[in-house]
């Protein structure tokens, strides 16, 4: 089971629209069947989608992390443990008013878990 932390997953807006503060913070929380936070090894893909568009234009950005890089993002914090990703837009900030976020975790045995969240 996996979810995005709704308090810590945010769309960051800078004043000029092109600084490193302009992007996304995504916090992914993998949990055991008992609901406890667990650190897992696997690849993570994060995708931002504009829900008002259709087809390829709706896919605004995608970030892929291999298992060895994912482990660097694990934090066991009081406010929200899990994998913390601070992402910059690969190009200009999207003009969308809302984003749908999708995160896919693929474990080494091939099992996949997906979390969805709207910002």
């Amino acid at each position: 089971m996996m979810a995005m932390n709704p308090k810590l997953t945010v769309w960051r807006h800078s004043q000029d629209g092109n600084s490193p503060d302009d992007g996304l913070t995504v916090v992914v929380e993998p949990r055991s069947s008992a609901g406890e936070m667990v650190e897992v090894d696997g690849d993570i893909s994060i995708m931002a989608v504009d829900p008002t568009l259709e087809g390829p234009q709706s896919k605004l950005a995608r970030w892929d992390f291999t298992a060895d890089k994912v482990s660097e993002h694990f934090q066991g914090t009081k406010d929200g443990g899990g994998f913390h990703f601070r992402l910059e837009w690969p190009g200009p900030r999207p003009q969308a008013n809302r984003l749908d976020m999708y995160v896919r975790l693929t474990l080494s045995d091939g099992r996949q878990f997906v979390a969805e969240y709207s910002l």
Side-chain angles (χ1 to χ4, degrees), residues 7 12 49 62 83-84 88 112:
K7 292 180 182 175
R12 302 183 323 272
V49 174
R62 179 177 170 163
F83 296 103
H84 292 239
E88 293 181 29
Q112 293 188 345

Side-chain angles (χ1 to χ4, degrees), residues 16 18 30 47-48 51 85 87 98 112 117:
D16 65 9
N18 291 312
M47 186 179 300
F85 297 93
L87 308 167
R98 205 175 101 229
Q112 293 188 345
Y117 185 69

Side-chain angles (χ1 to χ4, degrees), residues 17 29 61 68 81 91 96 106:
E29 300 175 337
D68 60 323
T106 305

Side-chain angles (χ1 to χ4, degrees), residues 38-60:
V38 293
E39 185 173 358
V40 295
D41 291 325
D43 299 336
I44 286 186
S45 293
I46 301 171
M47 186 179 300
V49 174
D50 181 340
T52 66
L53 300 175
E54 294 183 17
Q57 299 95 334
S58 68
K59 297 175 185 172
L60 302 174

